Amino acid sequence: MGFRTADFPTSDFPLKTFRLKTYLCPTMPEKKVRVRFAPSPTGGLHLGGVRTVLFNYLFAKQHGGDFVLRIEDTDQTRYVEGAEKYINDCLAWCGLIPDESPAKGGQYAPYRQTERKPIYREYAERLVAQGHAYYAFDTPEELDAKRKEIPNFQYGHAHRSTLRNSLSLPLSEVETLLHNGTPHVIRIKMPENETVSFTDMIRGHVSFDTAQVDDKVLLKADGMPTYHLAVVVDDYLMKITHAFRGEEWLPSAPVHLLLWEYLGWKADMPQWAHLPLILKPDGHGKLSKRDGARLGFPVFAMNWYDAKNDELTPGFRELGFLPGAFVNLLAMLGWNDGTDQEIFTLDELVEKFSIDRVSKAGAKFDFEKAKWYNAEWIKRSPAESLKVKVAEVLTANGITINKEAYLLKIIDMVKDRCIMVADFYQQAGYFFRAPLEYDVNSVKPKWTDVKTDFFIELKEVFSNTDTFEPAELEAKFKALAEAKGLKIGDVMLPFRIMLVGGKFGPHVFDIAALLGEAETLKRIDLALAVFTA
RNA sequence: GGCCCGUUCGUCUAGGGGUUAGGACAGGAGAUUUUCAUUCUUCAAACAGGGGUUCGAUUCCCCUACGGGCUACCA
């Protein structure tokens, strides 16, 4: 029978080979690969969620399959306005576009579970008719009381006969209750003593004793399915072949396996892959939204505004992460290609991804490493592909950009010094307007009249250049300093601060050359006034 | 508590019966850069513990410990 004991070879079978064969058996007529990401629209999209999307997407695209977005909105009490749009936007930003979704439609529409509500009852009733499920009339209050009364209470074989359900009550009473429209749920009847096992694409052989699993609710009193029923019915109806989800779902896997069997769909059950969790960087446990706030880094893909609490949760996008970098770093959390390569484009990931190389253990999220990925991506990006984002950052800070060629030159000059896109304001802003303030502490204490003379004469010298190119500027600058009996270092830093405002940026003469003669001279004057004040 | 999953440098990880246990981030030192960043060189840093199996275990098996997940009419 089914997925019962000894269903699969286990101990002395080479696991990797076995896994490969199970999910891509070349001798079997291959069904088209179809995967789904099935979030519930309850808020912003978490790192771990995006990684689940990514692995789904990579697997599907690698096999020429379909990637489906399905909205699991069956819990109406947790529904949050705007969350679904947010999910769509996140996927779009990351470049992980579903082939079918509520927005896009598709052959298996609708893709929102609330819109599929009528479908589920039929299957739940079918299970009741077959004896694999039953009606339960216990109120939440009664169950709470039981939980208090009985330690480790589970609604299962040990207690179900003492509760109010169609297994314990006389048929006539059940009929009356049903006829009167008494609120009730439908629960799966877990077998008392069976072993349910399956082969997970990541973990290999996993097995459970059904006695330990409670009789999960399948259909709620409001007529909505729970996740357990909905995921099985929809995965079947939508012809899903491979199901990726977080490891937190592993304990309820036996319920799903049994449902696939009871509904008679066992042959069509998808291959399961339970992904390792993304953990808090410090302490322990799953990474949560709160950890981001506590430790100062984003956890959501994009900004999420919670209108109810008037609370903004920051996102990677707004912080200045490139989507490619975000996707890249997520992929490396639990996967690698076996070489030392760490920087991958989406296309490369599609090509190289392999479920066999996904690790089993959870990974602590390291924001420092995340920043490194982004810096690498910025460094490797051509100015052309950064210009729009950089322009946005600059204009947001009140800077006007006239010449694109000038912007591109600047991006190339400073991109190595930027970790986030937002850093371009600090690193490139002064190319567009004179410093708003100067790091006076680095110059004023050591300022002398000789230096004032130097800069006044420097203006003269710079007004009479042949090219205004870096090399010429540097030569003339040095010659003048020497003539004045100044050490180069004594005037180089002040000059930098005059042009830039602080102790950062590329070579000073490169900056001056790019700024041009008029602007350079103007800035010397401006700063001189401040330094000598 | 019960069940399930996991465990290689601080972090992400490679490796896998015999290796100087490799890389990356972060950290230290140095070189270059008369700013800072980049870049380069370099240092330090790990197989949780105990039993097996074996000529030999970090690698395979078992136990323990530790960590994590689940234990809702939430997903």
Side-chain angles (χ1 to χ4, degrees):
Chain A
M1 284 262 316
F3 328 92
R4 307 299 158 77
T5 328
D7 215 296
F8 301 105
T10 50
S11 54
D12 42 28
F13 202 97
L15 190 59
K16 282 197 172 173
T17 319
F18 177 56
R19 275 198 229 148
L20 272 168
K21 283 187 178 165
T22 42
Y23 76 86
L24 277 181
C25 177
T27 59
M28 259 167 61
E30 261 319 303
K31 288 187 284 187
K32 183 172 197 191
V33 167
R34 290 177 55 80
V35 303
R36 75 332 192 234
F37 175 58
S40 66
T42 52
L45 228 204
H46 182 271
L47 273 179
V50 182
R51 194 194 51 175
T52 304
V53 176
L54 179 61
F55 285 10
N56 265 295
Y57 179 89
L58 297 178
F59 187 84
K61 294 302 139 191
Q62 182 172 75
H63 296 293
D66 297 326
F67 168 50
V68 178
L69 173 67
R70 182 173 72 218
I71 299 295
E72 310 230 340
D73 54 353
T74 55
D75 185 354
Q76 289 159 327
T77 63
R78 293 209 311 159
Y79 180 82
V80 174
E81 194 65 42
E84 183 183 321
K85 181 182 186 308
Y86 175 96
I87 289 165
N88 287 327
D89 292 348
C90 274
L91 300 195
W93 178 60
C94 295
L96 308 172
I97 313 295
D99 300 295
E100 298 163 31
S101 70
K104 196 171 182 176
Q107 201 186 336
Y108 302 91
Y111 293 94
R112 247 177 237 117
Q113 290 181 331
T114 46
E115 294 169 16
R116 303 169 65 78
K117 184 177 175 185
I119 298 174
Y120 307 105
R121 168 139 238 142
E122 175 198 336
Y123 294 105
E125 297 287 358
R126 188 155 118 198
L127 290 164
V128 174
Q130 292 169 160
H132 290 306
Y134 58 91
Y135 303 108
F137 303 94
D138 319 87
T139 64
E141 295 71 33
E142 286 167 349
L143 293 176
D144 282 346
K146 281 281 181 195
R147 289 192 184 96
K148 269 183 199 150
E149 177 193 331
I150 304 168
N152 301 327
F153 171 81
Q154 279 207 142
Y155 205 124
H157 63 92
H159 299 292
R160 66 182 160 230
S161 61
T162 69
L163 293 149
R164 288 164 30 80
N165 54 57
S166 60
L167 261 23
S168 63
L169 268 20
L171 184 60
S172 58
E173 189 176 344
V174 172
E175 275 170 357
T176 310
L177 285 166
L178 252 24
H179 182 77
N180 295 342
T182 313
H184 64 277
V185 301
I186 292 181
R187 287 179 181 272
I188 185 172
K189 184 184 173 192
M190 287 302 282
E192 199 168 324
N193 194 15
E194 279 182 34
T195 300
V196 175
S197 62
F198 70 103
T199 301
D200 187 278
M201 288 191 279
I202 293 168
R203 275 146 228 287
H205 185 262
V206 183
S207 75
F208 301 85
D209 180 353
T210 55
Q212 303 294 335
V213 185
D214 59 347
D215 292 349
K216 296 274 184 237
V217 169
L218 264 21
L219 201 73
K220 300 185 262 189
D222 64 2
M224 279 292 180
T226 59
Y227 172 82
H228 306 296
L229 212 218
V231 73
V232 172
V233 169
D234 287 342
D235 281 353
Y236 170 73
L237 261 17
M238 295 182 181
K239 298 202 167 19
I240 299 305
T241 58
H242 302 265
F244 296 77
R245 59 181 8 173
E247 193 188 346
E248 71 267 31
W249 289 107
L250 209 41
S252 56
V255 176
H256 311 318
L257 281 270
L258 251 20
L259 252 17
W260 276 92
E261 181 180 330
Y262 295 158
L263 260 1
W265 303 331
K266 201 177 68 187
D268 295 313
M269 188 176 75
Q271 299 281 329
W272 296 100
H274 290 90
L275 269 21
L277 266 14
I278 297 178
L279 277 9
K280 300 176 197 292
D282 62 346
H284 307 288
K286 272 200 285 189
L287 183 67
S288 75
K289 183 178 85 170
R290 291 274 157 234
D291 298 315
R294 184 170 58 86
L295 272 6
F297 60 80
V299 166
F300 285 171
M302 312 182 313
N303 277 1
W304 168 254
Y305 177 66
D306 175 6
K308 212 169 115 194
N309 302 306
D310 187 31
E311 183 186 32
L312 183 77
T313 309
F316 280 85
R317 181 178 73 173
E318 287 78 2
L319 227 192
F321 271 74
L322 261 24
F326 184 56
V327 162
N328 189 166
L329 73 93
L330 251 24
M332 301 311 286
L333 238 36
W335 176 85
N336 69 82
D337 76 340
T339 73
D340 287 341
Q341 184 176 347
E342 294 193 88
I343 304 297
F344 294 88
T345 61
L346 223 206
D347 287 343
E348 280 179 294
L349 290 171
V350 168
E351 182 195 328
K352 296 186 173 169
F353 180 75
S354 154
I355 199 81
D356 291 300
R357 298 200 60 86
V358 174
S359 50
K360 300 193 226 305
K364 288 184 186 165
F365 180 68
D366 180 0
F367 189 53
E368 291 305 315
K369 185 93 186 214
K371 287 195 290 193
W372 175 79
Y373 278 105
N374 203 54
E376 283 300 308
W377 270 77
I378 289 177
K379 250 183 284 183
R380 293 167 191 230
S381 298
E384 188 63 33
S385 77
L386 292 169
K387 71 178 182 193
V388 173
K389 287 185 174 97
V390 173
E392 270 172 27
V393 166
L394 295 178
T395 21
N397 282 285
I399 288 170
T400 321
I401 302 159
N402 311 315
K403 286 168 292 184
E404 183 178 310
Y406 183 60
L407 176 65
L408 291 175
K409 239 185 239 177
I410 289 161
I411 292 175
D412 274 328
M413 199 179 269
V414 305
K415 68 182 184 182
D416 283 5
R417 345 171 74 88
C418 296
I419 294 173
M420 313 285 199
V421 177
D423 295 338
F424 276 97
Y425 172 57
Q426 146 101 319
Q427 296 295 338
Y430 57 82
F431 279 105
F432 299 90
R433 68 178 177 207
L436 302 175
E437 52 186 51
Y438 298 96
D439 179 359
V440 283
N441 292 331
S442 299
V443 275
K444 270 194 126 176
K446 284 175 275 180
W447 198 256
T448 61
D449 290 343
V450 187
K451 290 185 184 178
T452 308
D453 291 345
F454 171 85
F455 282 104
I456 288 169
E457 281 181 45
L458 185 67
K459 288 197 297 169
E460 194 57 34
V461 170
F462 278 5
S463 310
N464 293 300
T465 52
D466 301 319
T467 63
F468 217 78
E469 288 300 314
E472 190 191 355
L473 298 181
E474 181 166 1
K476 295 212 154 139
F477 186 96
K478 284 184 173 167
L480 180 62
E482 214 168 304
K484 284 274 161 196
L486 285 161
K487 279 189 284 182
I488 309 288
D490 289 340
V491 277
M492 194 82 104
L493 184 64
F495 186 40
R496 164 177 297 281
I497 293 175
M498 286 172 159
L499 301 185
V500 172
K503 292 194 276 190
F504 58 88
H507 294 289
V508 217
F509 299 105
D510 290 344
I511 297 171
L514 209 50
L515 248 23
E517 183 182 323
E519 182 64 19
T520 301
L521 298 188
K522 192 182 109 189
R523 289 193 189 184
I524 292 173
D525 269 337
L526 243 38
L528 221 39
V530 176
F531 294 173
T532 56

